[in-house]
Amino acid sequence: MNSFVEFAKDILQKDHILLQEPLKKYTTFRVGGPAFCMCKIQTVEQLQKIVPYLSSHGLPYFVIGKGSNLLVADAGYEGVVLSLGETFEKTCWEDNTVTAGAAVLLGRLSREAMERSLTGLEFAAGIPGTLGGGMKMNAGAYGGELSQLVTKAKVMTAQGTLVELEKDQLELGYRSSIFHKKDWILLEATLQCQLGEQVKIKEIMDQYQAARKEKQPLEYGSAGSTFKRPEGNFAGKLIMDAGLRGFRIGDAQVSEKHCGFVINRGNATADEILQVIHEVQKEVQNQFQVALEPEVIMIGKF
């Protein structure tokens, strides 16, 4: 791994290579140990050099956005974390279509669409992640999701090859995509909205934001909905009906406000959060014979 650091010094600025960087600073759960190395990537060309090196040497790596759907082990991540910078934060609007970089915040996309009187992205107003993370999970809320808008995407393979994919090649499903199957990195995606009325679009966005504040424990660290929605049911209701509202291990707790959220009350560890997740899964399985699948991505050794 040290040889990679020497390799990276020839490609990245010195202050863009961070050793033993605490990942709790980069996740909305506010937990997690250090990464062996974090690289701040500013250009596609840098990415095309770094990733093939890691891949060819069998070194683990992970691309991080806003860490809003991520649980990092307390021991950290014995690999390289890649953080995408300025080049990947651009948006280009043409009529009702936008091509946006992977590091663009979904909330920003939603606002920019509203400012152009374009509808379709209202659901994304309060999602605290990036387009890259959103595409990996096919992010959605309030009946909307990215698969309804995406027309194509540009990705980079583990060998550094740039490929343009059409929508059907992205395999976008419920909280799933091709990015779970292949070591591809999203560079940018093109989304198509529809012309609407700005006042109505803003009203809907404001309603969604108000609903989030009322129903979700936004005052605590979390990764949003902890579990995927089981077919024909709701994770939060099953957890509540199992008598687990407020169930707590250390500072990790099933939210009393919304049982679908596991929260960090302040000083939780990743291990405590995982213990709560496992206890919820066990009780829901025992009582209702329903297997809850975590929506949260976990990295590092637990």
Side-chain angles (χ1 to χ4, degrees):
M1 192 68 83
N2 289 326
S3 60
F4 165 74
V5 176
E6 294 303 313
F7 172 81
K9 286 179 181 178
D10 291 332
I11 298 167
L12 307 176
Q13 296 178 29
K14 184 178 179 181
D15 59 348
H16 288 171
I17 304 172
L18 307 176
L19 300 180
Q20 297 300 314
E21 182 72 357
L23 292 179
K24 66 187 299 181
K25 294 163 50 177
Y26 301 89
T27 71
T28 55
F29 254 136
R30 305 169 196 160
V31 302
F36 171 79
C37 178
M38 172 176 275
C39 293
K40 298 192 174 182
I41 308 294
Q42 301 302 312
T43 68
V44 173
E45 290 73 25
Q46 289 176 346
L47 201 61
Q48 285 181 289
K49 294 175 181 177
I50 294 289
V51 171
Y53 181 96
L54 292 169
S55 298
S56 63
H57 287 76
L59 301 176
Y61 62 92
F62 187 87
V63 180
I64 195 169
K66 286 299 177 182
S68 60
N69 198 41
L70 189 64
L71 180 62
V72 180
D74 297 315
Y77 179 62
E78 283 296 319
V80 178
V81 172
L82 306 175
S83 175
L84 305 183
E86 292 179 5
T87 298
F88 307 91
E89 296 173 356
K90 297 175 181 177
T91 60
C92 180
W93 291 88
E94 186 174 344
D95 297 325
N96 63 337
T97 298
V98 61
T99 297
V104 173
L105 291 174
L106 290 173
R108 173 187 158 193
L109 268 183
S110 183
R111 288 192 302 275
E112 289 186 6
M114 182 268 293
E115 289 165 0
R116 290 165 173 77
S117 299
L118 295 175
T119 183
L121 273 163
E122 292 90 336
F123 74 90
I127 298 177
T130 61
L131 181 59
M135 285 287 291
K136 181 170 183 175
M137 299 302 296
N138 186 20
Y142 301 108
E145 59 184 21
L146 287 175
S147 63
Q148 298 167 353
L149 305 168
V150 174
T151 59
K152 61 183 178 180
K154 183 182 289 185
V155 306
M156 191 190 82
T157 69
Q159 291 72 43
T161 304
L162 304 185
V163 180
E164 189 165 288
L165 302 176
E166 297 301 319
K167 178 179 178 176
D168 61 345
Q169 295 175 289
L170 294 167
E171 298 183 17
L172 297 167
Y174 174 63
R175 302 298 175 264
S176 66
S177 69
I178 192 67
F179 300 104
H180 288 279
K181 301 176 183 178
K182 294 185 177 290
D183 293 329
W184 292 345
I185 296 174
L186 180 82
L187 303 179
E188 64 182 35
T190 300
L191 285 67
Q192 187 170 26
C193 300
Q194 300 296 323
L195 190 62
E197 297 181 34
Q198 188 177 78
V199 173
K200 289 185 178 180
I201 294 168
K202 188 175 185 305
E203 282 179 0
I204 293 171
M205 289 170 63
D206 290 344
Q207 288 171 11
Y208 289 166
Q209 290 283 52
R212 281 190 169 95
K213 289 179 181 178
E214 178 187 353
K215 298 177 181 179
Q216 298 180 9
L218 302 181
E219 65 272 29
Y220 294 108
S222 80
S225 296
T226 307
F227 301 96
K228 294 181 180 180
R229 184 179 67 246
E231 189 173 351
N233 219 315
F234 295 95
K237 185 179 187 307
L238 288 168
I239 296 166
M240 180 177 66
D241 291 347
L244 292 169
R245 181 191 292 275
F247 174 77
R248 180 172 175 176
I249 296 176
D251 258 6
Q253 182 182 39
V254 173
S255 170
E256 295 177 290
K257 196 172 187 180
H258 189 314
C259 291
F261 285 59
V262 175
I263 61 172
N264 176 2
R265 294 187 58 88
N267 295 300
T269 64
D271 187 58
E272 288 170 345
I273 291 170
L274 188 59
Q275 287 181 56
V276 171
I277 289 172
H278 286 165
E279 187 64 23
V280 166
Q281 288 176 306
K282 184 181 76 174
E283 284 300 315
V284 170
Q285 178 67 47
N286 287 343
Q287 295 188 41
F288 306 111
Q289 293 74 54
V290 175
L292 289 182
E293 181 183 351
E295 185 173 315
V296 178
I297 294 171
M298 303 177 195
I299 66 169
K301 291 183 178 179
F302 284 91

